[in-house]
Amino acid sequence: MKPETAAETVASSEPEAEAKPEAEAKPEAKPETAVDVAGEVETATQLVSDEVNDPEEILQAGGDWPQWGGTRLRNNTPNVENIPTTWNVGRFDRRTGEWDSSEAENIKWIANLGSQTYGNPVVAGGQVYVGTNNGAGHLPRYPNDIDLGCLLAFDEETGELLWQHSSEKLITGRVHDWPLQGICSAAYVEGERLWFVTSRGEVRCLDTRGFHDGEDDGPVKDEVARVADLAKADEAYQGTVEALGEGNVSDALAELLDQRGHKLGENVSIETVEEGSQWKLTGEVAGVERTLDLKVAGPRLSIFKTLSVHDKQDADVIWVFDMMSEPLGVSQHNMASCSVTAYGDLLFVNTSNGLDETHINLPAPAAPSFICLDKNTGELIWQDDSPGRNILHGQWSSPTVAVLGGVPQVLFAGGDGWLRSFKADRGKDGKPELLWEFDCNPKESEWILGGEGTRNNLIATPVAYDGLVYLAVGQDPEHGEGEGHLWCIDPTKRGDISPQLALKVEGDGRVPLEHRRIQAVKPEDGEVAVDNPNSGVVWHYSVVDQNGDGEIDFEEEMHRSCGTVAIKDDVLYVADFSGIFHCLDAKGTDDGKPIVHFTYDMLAQSWGSPLIADGHVFMGDEDGEVAVFKFGKDHSEPLEEIYMGSSVYSTVVAANNTLYISTKDKLFAISKQE
């Protein structure tokens, strides 16, 4: 999925940096390394137990919001109070970006993000975390013409940038790491540890305090980081290399390092490691005694450093699990996008394994789609490849964990359009226990390249509410609008609990069909879809003739959706990609029909999910407006529609009496101001 409806246009209209960092190797620890030092990590982490991290307590507290959806239930309904329902972001100079706050109202602070932002804010431990790209160029060593995936950490009170985790682009390019998309997932925070998925297909555990605590926590220590590159095409290149060979620093190299925040002191020395291609620079760098490594690699001279406690603006990495390397060998489609969650010491991750650039071939059919790691160490506990070769496109949903029917269940929305539930434990022999599976598409629906078909992916995150599970279907927003479905599912059933079964008529009998990627049932081939006697459907919403005129209007349809539902007091809200905001009864009728309270046309596409907080509902859209509704089934018109200055692709978040809204390029902290 490319989270930009005009991603091709954007990528072609904004030139990529000439000095794009293309790391030849990843120096971080591999999964095996993390396992070897399990004892050290467990001691250092001081993890919070799941009992302390109880979802209901977090929802009721109205305090921190430490993951996507706030808790592992993924229901965006914090019990915050005294948050504003009206605000004004002020004006921004189009040329300089300077903020004119003279007309601003209820804006606590503003922070610059990248040029495209899709990660949802997470608030925990006095800090706010957002995934974005490098459009802001916060770090001098990575100016904004270098494309990166960035996870930014801000001070919750002031909006000051504390540190940045920088993910250089994969050398395989847009098939795995689409230009300018950045970090599209949200972090998960517990105590002083943070877990997230990078744009390079890695699961990383970070120290939330970074190097501000004066420690380089491990087992990953002494990370190698890029400082600058000097291209061979640059007129200063030859003179710089010759000077290094003579044990000197050229003026051009000194100026480049100064620009990248690494000004050299008067006394530095050059040591030749390999004649004509590798040197060490030792001495005072940015006021600190350290060594820089200089290497000729491909079409450039690259300068690297070893991260230390002096690098306050950089992230402190604890461990790394690279899903694209062995033993998993995942091949993500365009990007990795999973907001991880945990249950006890178990960390659950959707790997984003998907198709290649042909949109037909699956490069890594044996790679898992869903994995469980030990969050202390990064050790792989189990893996599952249930979608098999039936992945339609990519896999960009996020897992949910809930105790349902007395059983801890982890919900995985797969790339084949099936929702599966596994027992949320350590599994057996490297495999999880499958509890139930549910096909979220009608059996006769068909997958057609480019979004022309009726068979859909699962991009939204499942929500657990009052013993039931809720999920909408959708596709890559680039595929446009189309037919959608919203399901309410009973998770206490077992086995195949899909609405229908796919069968082949053979004589007087019917034979079950194997799951197929393109179309489960082809009527022209003597195949039929029959009602499943073991169906887990509580209710299903696709179309409802609300006004009773015998016709289905555009506003009476559920379209494809990237959005996750939010539910409070049995009132459910969800937005679809066509910009229709739906309000339903969460329980439906006794005979399995949906109850639609109202729909509202926002007149703009919607990528995000609703927030229910302090008696109101907040919903953003691609036009950059946030609609504010009074909570309840009878309030079908917004009180306000507030323009944020640029597109709102993410979800409004509330924590500690403050709203957080990340637009395409800025993060706003919004609270009542005197």
Side-chain angles (χ1 to χ4, degrees):
M1 179 179 70
K2 299 174 283 294
E4 175 69 47
T5 52
E8 296 278 2
T9 304
V10 172
S12 61
S13 63
E14 298 188 34
E16 298 181 23
E18 291 183 4
K20 179 187 290 185
E22 297 179 344
E24 286 77 22
K26 299 180 181 180
E28 296 85 6
K30 293 183 178 180
E32 293 83 0
T33 306
V35 175
D36 290 342
V37 289
E40 176 186 346
V41 180
E42 188 170 6
T43 302
T45 307
Q46 295 295 310
L47 292 171
V48 180
S49 70
D50 196 65
E51 288 73 20
V52 175
N53 215 16
D54 179 69
E56 292 303 326
E57 290 186 9
I58 292 173
L59 287 169
Q60 291 302 315
D64 286 355
W65 206 235
Q67 61 180 301
W68 162 229
T71 76
R72 53 179 169 78
L73 307 179
R74 307 301 203 178
N75 193 14
N76 196 25
T77 58
N79 190 30
V80 295
E81 297 178 346
N82 200 34
I83 56 176
T85 56
T86 184
W87 61 87
N88 188 324
V89 301
R91 297 178 180 273
F92 297 90
D93 188 287
R94 290 184 179 274
R95 184 176 59 85
T96 65
E98 184 177 347
W99 181 37
D100 178 1
S101 61
S102 59
E103 297 181 4
E105 177 187 2
N106 288 331
I107 303 300
K108 183 177 180 180
W109 51 258
I110 297 175
N112 287 326
L113 302 178
S115 62
Q116 295 181 32
T117 302
Y118 307 100
N120 291 294
V122 163
V123 185
Q127 297 181 185
V128 184
Y129 308 92
V130 182
T132 183
N133 68 18
N134 192 43
H138 284 295
L139 301 189
R141 68 186 180 93
Y142 283 129
N144 64 2
D145 61 348
I146 295 178
D147 194 5
L148 302 170
C150 299
L151 179 69
L152 306 180
F154 298 98
D155 183 274
E156 182 181 355
E157 188 61 32
T158 66
E160 174 191 2
L161 179 70
L162 299 174
W163 51 258
Q164 169 178 307
H165 182 281
S166 308
S167 296
E168 296 187 349
K169 303 299 285 186
L170 289 167
I171 60 174
T172 48
R174 61 186 58 202
V175 63
H176 290 137
D177 198 356
W178 196 267
L180 301 176
Q181 303 307 286
I183 302 298
C184 297
S185 58
Y188 167 69
V189 182
E190 189 176 297
E192 293 190 359
R193 293 294 178 262
L194 175 153
W195 297 263
F196 80 114
V197 175
T198 75
S199 50
R200 296 175 64 88
E202 305 159 321
V203 185
R204 288 192 170 222
C205 175
L206 310 182
D207 178 0
T208 61
R209 300 305 172 192
F211 292 118
H212 292 275
D213 60 4
E215 297 179 1
D216 183 0
D217 297 283
V220 173
K221 292 178 178 287
D222 302 326
E223 281 190 284
V224 175
R226 191 181 301 271
V227 174
D229 294 299
L230 183 62
K232 284 185 177 179
D234 193 298
E235 62 181 16
Y237 175 86
Q238 190 60 39
T240 296
V241 170
E242 290 175 357
L244 289 170
E246 297 169 356
N248 299 318
V249 176
S250 69
D251 291 342
L253 178 58
E255 182 180 354
L256 175 62
L257 290 171
D258 191 6
Q259 292 171 353
R260 300 301 172 86
H262 289 70
K263 185 175 183 178
L264 300 180
E266 293 185 1
N267 298 314
V268 296
S269 62
I270 301 294
E271 174 191 351
T272 298
V273 178
E274 186 173 331
E275 191 71 32
S277 64
Q278 190 169 345
W279 303 267
K280 285 188 180 294
L281 183 156
T282 304
E284 184 181 315
V285 181
V288 176
E289 289 293 320
R290 70 191 317 162
T291 297
L292 301 181
D293 293 308
L294 299 91
K295 302 176 182 179
V296 174
R300 63 180 65 87
L301 171 69
S302 297
I303 302 104
F304 300 93
K305 68 177 179 180
T306 299
L307 291 180
S308 73
V309 296
H310 302 293
D311 297 298
K312 303 300 184 187
Q313 284 195 308
D314 283 283
D316 182 6
V317 177
I318 307 298
W319 56 255
V320 180
F321 185 95
D322 187 348
M323 295 186 289
M324 296 188 72
S325 297
E326 296 300 328
L328 300 190
V330 167
S331 179
Q332 63 206 42
H333 182 81
N334 293 158
M335 67 185 64
S337 179
C338 169
S339 300
V340 302
T341 193
Y343 184 71
D345 287 342
L346 306 178
L347 189 74
F348 300 103
V349 187
N350 182 333
T351 69
S352 297
N353 192 48
L355 305 184
D356 64 12
E357 64 272 20
T358 69
H359 293 85
I360 297 173
N361 180 53
L362 183 65
S369 295
F370 194 41
I371 62 173
C372 175
L373 304 176
D374 185 306
K375 72 181 178 188
N376 302 333
T377 66
E379 174 191 2
L380 178 65
I381 296 174
W382 54 249
Q383 57 184 301
D384 178 78
D385 61 353
S386 292
R389 292 182 172 273
N390 294 311
I391 296 171
L392 299 170
H393 191 196
Q395 302 190 96
W396 303 294
S397 182
S398 300
T400 297
V401 182
V403 178
L404 300 164
V407 179
Q409 301 187 31
V410 56
L411 307 176
F412 163 60
D416 56 351
W418 286 64
L419 177 64
R420 294 178 175 86
S421 171
F422 300 96
K423 195 169 183 181
D425 62 12
R426 301 183 74 87
K428 184 178 181 181
D429 298 327
K431 295 291 182 182
E433 178 185 346
L434 177 66
L435 299 176
W436 54 264
E437 52 188 349
F438 184 97
D439 188 356
C440 296
N441 286 290
K443 294 298 185 184
E444 293 184 17
S445 62
E446 184 178 5
W447 175 261
I448 300 176
L449 289 179
E452 297 299 319
T454 53
R455 191 162 187 81
N456 286 299
N457 302 106
L458 299 174
I459 297 175
T461 303
V463 166
Y465 169 82
D466 200 18
L468 300 174
V469 173
Y470 300 81
L471 182 63
V473 303
Q475 289 193 32
D476 182 339
E478 193 179 55
H479 291 178
E481 302 173 15
E483 175 185 306
H485 302 273
L486 174 64
W487 299 98
C488 175
I489 303 167
D490 178 358
T492 63
K493 291 179 174 289
R494 295 294 180 263
D496 185 344
I497 65 171
S498 304
Q500 299 172 311
L501 299 175
L503 304 175
K504 172 78 170 180
V505 178
E506 293 186 355
D508 295 332
R510 294 178 176 182
V511 179
L513 292 170
E514 291 187 359
H515 174 31
R516 289 196 299 241
R517 176 176 176 265
I518 300 298
Q519 191 174 16
V521 164
K522 299 178 181 179
E524 64 272 20
D525 292 342
E527 299 170 357
V528 295
V530 301
D531 290 342
N532 182 4
N534 190 43
S535 170
V537 177
V538 177
W539 55 259
H540 163 238
Y541 173 47
S542 181
V543 297
V544 170
D545 183 10
Q546 298 173 47
N547 58 19
D549 65 356
E551 298 180 357
I552 299 298
D553 301 324
F554 186 78
E555 296 82 4
E556 296 176 324
E557 298 177 273
M558 179 68 196
H559 308 94
R560 292 173 183 162
S561 179
C562 301
T564 297
V565 307
I567 312 171
K568 185 176 180 63
D569 298 336
D570 290 348
V571 180
L572 178 154
Y573 296 90
V574 66
D576 66 34
F577 190 64
S578 297
I580 305 301
F581 192 49
H582 305 259
C583 177
L584 296 91
D585 185 292
K587 298 301 175 62
T589 67
D590 291 339
D591 59 350
K593 299 292 192 299
I595 299 173
V596 181
H597 297 313
F598 68 82
T599 61
Y600 175 79
D601 191 348
M602 296 188 293
L603 302 177
Q605 292 178 330
S606 175
W607 298 54
S609 307
L611 163 71
I612 303 174
D614 200 15
H616 293 84
V617 185
F618 304 80
M619 188 69 227
D621 65 35
E622 191 175 36
D623 280 356
E625 290 188 334
V626 172
V628 182
F629 295 80
K630 188 173 181 181
F631 173 77
K633 63 181 182 180
D634 299 322
H635 305 291
S636 59
E637 296 286 334
L639 302 172
E640 300 274 358
E641 290 180 294
I642 302 170
Y643 183 57
M644 299 299 300
S646 64
S647 299
V648 180
Y649 293 118
S650 62
T651 295
V652 183
V653 166
N656 300 311
N657 309 114
T658 303
L659 293 172
Y660 293 92
I661 303 176
S662 55
T663 67
K664 191 174 183 179
D665 59 354
K666 291 179 175 60
L667 173 63
F668 294 86
I670 302 169
S671 63
K672 291 183 178 180
Q673 304 290 301
E674 294 182 1

